[in-house]
Amino acid sequence: MRKPCNFTLYYSLFVTFMIMFVVVNSQLTTDFYAKTCPSVLKVVRKEVQNAIKNEMRMAASLLRLHFHDCFVNGCDGSLLLDGNSTTSEKFAAGNINSARGFEVIDNIKKAVEDACSGVVSCADILAIAARDSVLLSGGPTWKVRLGRRDGLIGNVSGANSGLPAPFHSLNTIISMFQVVGLNVTDVVSLSGAHTIGLAKCATFDNRLTNFSGSGGPDTTLDTTLVTELQNLCPSTSDGNNTAPLDRNSTDLFDNHYFKNLLNQRGLLESDQILYSSNDAIPTTKTLVETYSNSSSVFFSDFVNSMIKMGNISPLTGSNGEIRKNCRVIN
Ligand code: HEM
Ligand SMILES: *[C@@H]1O[C@H](CO)[C@@H](O)[C@H](O)[C@H]1NC(C)=O
Ligand SMILES: *[C@@H]1O[C@H](CO)[C@@H](O)[C@H](O)[C@H]1NC(C)=O
Ligand SMILES: *[C@@H]1O[C@H](CO)[C@@H](O)[C@H](O)[C@H]1NC(C)=O
Ligand SMILES: *[C@@H]1O[C@H](CO)[C@@H](O)[C@H](O)[C@H]1NC(C)=O
Ligand SMILES: *[C@@H]1O[C@H](CO)[C@@H](O)[C@H](O)[C@H]1NC(C)=O
Ligand SMILES: *[C@@H]1O[C@H](CO)[C@@H](O)[C@H](O)[C@H]1NC(C)=O
Ligand SMILES: *[C@@H]1O[C@H](CO)[C@@H](O)[C@H](O)[C@H]1NC(C)=O
């Protein structure tokens, strides 16, 4: 047997240090575009404002896009790439006929390109638009960390396996968050995003009749709400009717989502599971109670979790590219 040559040893040490270097240097910064595109925050804000004026729900849709981007190959704009069912994440189970707002992202990108061409990534635009959407819906604000670059591929299988579904168990959801470095606090605080926006019957109508073969509706769903939702979602419909995730204040980013959970009025099974059912764990129950009592604790935890989510595996330095058009690689 030959001794492993020194070159191999030194080379692998070198690669190890390079990887550490990249990890250490992958920090995003709030002033990333201060010199190269000082107007970017203003430009994005104006476009988000226009989009929301046109349709209030768009705030929710834009917030969700950032989440679905970050959970698949990190926050790299991969969700925005067009393609077919083997190349584009738009065809993955959690996105098809569901993820929306891509035209708004196109408009924002155009406005940003007009202001500073070839400088700002689509991944950063998603992060800024999500922040603005929360703020313009009455929620908290924060300084967005920037400097992400755009990925070169869509990961359909990654989207199919990495995006939580409403019928997943709490354990499955928690582990999907753990895979991307988020913990149980992040699961609960970020689920509070469901204080705005809508969901299709297809995402909750399994709760309305013969839930899990029980013969009746989900017993953790308020019976009045069951009747209302049964009327909205008859078995003859195509599942495309929509219900507000937070019926008390659909367009307002507040802590009512958590108050609903105390009253068995969570819309999705994955919402109510945080508080009711045998699945709920003490940590999630306590957080739901805390957030329902205090919107300021909810807001500050939500901001912390949004920043953590925005930091998931960004491409930085010379990795990836700055896409010219968010739908296609350069
Ligand atoms: C915890 C696991 C989660 C599950 C299982 C889940 C599931 C869903 C489902 C099924 C819908 C309805 C989609 C449709 O009917 O087309 C939805 C909507 C939404 N989700 Fe989540 N979600 C989760 C976490 C999150 C997170 C972390 C965020 C953001 C931080 C988020 C933000 C939203 C928003 C804002 C909407 C409304 C979108 C609109 O009206 O266009 N969700 N979610
Ligand atoms: C999807 O697009 C890729 C790249 O354009 C192509 O190679 C592949 O054949 C297409 N697949 C399907 C199922 O259309
Ligand atoms: C797609 O996502 C999966 C799950 O995160 C990951 O294991 C895989 O490496 C990704 N594929 C590519 C080509 O990035
Ligand atoms: C989750 O992480 C945050 C830090 O980002 C920490 O403050 C919090 O206590 C953690 N939650 C749990 C349940 O470990
Ligand atoms: C409910 O589902 C179970 C299991 O799928 C089935 O055996 C039962 O007949 C169903 N009950 C009703 C009332 O449809
Ligand atoms: C909703 O509508 C789309 C097209 O408009 C259709 O493809 C889909 O099957 C319908 N149902 C659901 C549950 O999305
Ligand atoms: C929320 O709205 C429901 C009816 O949609 C109502 O029964 C309930 O009292 C409201 N809760 C609060 C705290 O406003
Ligand atoms: C929330 O407030 C209620 C009363 O308003 C109180 O009974 C409960 O202990 C509080 N829960 C938490 C977790 O602070």
Side-chain angles (χ1 to χ4, degrees):
M1 281 280 286
R2 263 173 46 128
K3 267 175 47 176
C5 82
N6 278 343
F7 175 77
T8 313
L9 180 67
Y10 288 132
Y11 183 73
S12 52
L13 273 174
F14 174 75
V15 168
T16 308
F17 281 117
M18 281 311 287
I19 288 170
M20 287 168 64
F21 182 79
V22 167
V23 168
V24 165
N25 269 277
S26 67
Q27 300 301 320
L28 305 174
T29 55
T30 56
D31 61 353
F32 188 80
Y33 297 112
K35 294 223 166 67
T36 53
C37 192
S39 64
V40 62
L41 296 177
K42 239 168 107 182
V43 172
V44 176
R45 174 72 55 89
K46 183 167 162 253
E47 293 299 319
V48 174
Q49 248 156 359
N50 285 344
I52 291 176
K53 203 159 71 185
N54 194 41
E55 185 201 16
M56 193 59 215
R57 183 190 179 187
M58 192 49 67
S61 306
L62 294 175
L63 173 56
R64 189 166 185 243
L65 286 186
H66 181 46
F67 158 49
H68 280 202
D69 179 34
C70 291
F71 266 56
V72 183
N73 282 23
C75 311
D76 69 342
S78 56
L79 168 61
L80 303 175
L81 291 171
D82 280 342
N84 60 35
S85 58
T86 53
T87 61
S88 170
E89 291 170 22
K90 294 176 183 179
F91 289 84
N95 292 326
I96 192 162
N97 292 324
S98 177
R100 61 198 296 282
F102 297 111
E103 297 77 14
V104 171
I105 298 298
D106 291 338
N107 291 340
I108 301 175
K109 177 64 171 173
K110 275 192 205 103
V112 169
E113 287 296 299
D114 284 349
C116 356
S117 174
V119 169
V120 180
S121 67
C122 299
D124 277 347
I125 286 175
L126 284 175
I128 303 167
R131 188 276 307 266
D132 288 353
S133 293
V134 170
L135 176 64
L136 296 171
S137 302
T141 191
W142 61 94
K143 290 198 153 135
V144 202
R145 275 66 173 166
L146 299 167
R148 302 168 190 82
R149 291 168 64 83
D150 296 321
L152 303 175
I153 51 150
N155 188 342
V156 185
S157 60
N160 278 319
S161 61
L163 294 175
F167 48 82
H168 280 146
S169 70
L170 184 57
N171 277 337
T172 301
I173 290 171
I174 289 172
S175 51
M176 286 175 145
F177 275 64
Q178 264 161 3
V179 164
V180 294
L182 301 181
N183 67 19
V184 175
T185 308
D186 302 314
V187 170
V188 181
S189 67
L190 292 175
S191 291
H194 291 174
T195 178
I196 54 174
L198 309 178
K200 286 183 183 168
C201 290
T203 66
F204 59 80
D205 60 7
N206 64 314
R207 306 181 72 194
L208 305 179
T209 52
N210 205 3
F211 176 63
S212 303
S214 66
D218 186 342
T219 54
T220 69
L221 182 57
D222 173 83
T223 51
T224 315
L225 186 51
V226 166
T227 311
E228 286 170 29
L229 294 175
Q230 281 171 342
N231 290 331
L232 177 77
C233 311
S235 52
T236 49
S237 80
D238 68 356
N240 275 326
N241 283 352
T242 53
L245 284 155
D246 169 11
R247 299 174 89 73
N248 289 72
S249 47
T250 306
D251 295 329
L252 184 64
F253 195 102
D254 61 6
N255 69 340
H256 224 113
Y257 166 84
F258 298 103
K259 298 186 194 228
N260 292 337
L261 299 186
L262 300 188
N263 294 312
Q264 315 272 77
R265 295 177 68 85
L267 183 63
L268 306 178
E269 197 184 336
S270 53
D271 293 325
Q272 196 58 50
I273 220 173
L274 300 171
Y275 189 70
S276 307
S277 90
N278 302 329
D279 234 30
I281 58 174
T283 323
T284 60
K285 282 189 180 185
T286 303
L287 285 167
V288 168
E289 283 167 1
T290 303
Y291 296 157
S292 72
N293 272 358
S294 167
S295 57
S296 64
V297 177
F298 166 46
F299 281 8
S300 90
D301 281 9
F302 181 80
V303 165
N304 180 46
S305 298
M306 281 297 287
I307 292 169
K308 277 173 84 174
M309 188 174 85
N311 280 337
I312 299 172
S313 313
L315 295 171
T316 55
S318 59
N319 294 317
E321 64 179 16
I322 304 299
R323 249 177 251 156
K324 291 181 175 28
N325 170 348
C326 293
R327 293 173 182 270
V328 288
I329 60 171
N330 292 343

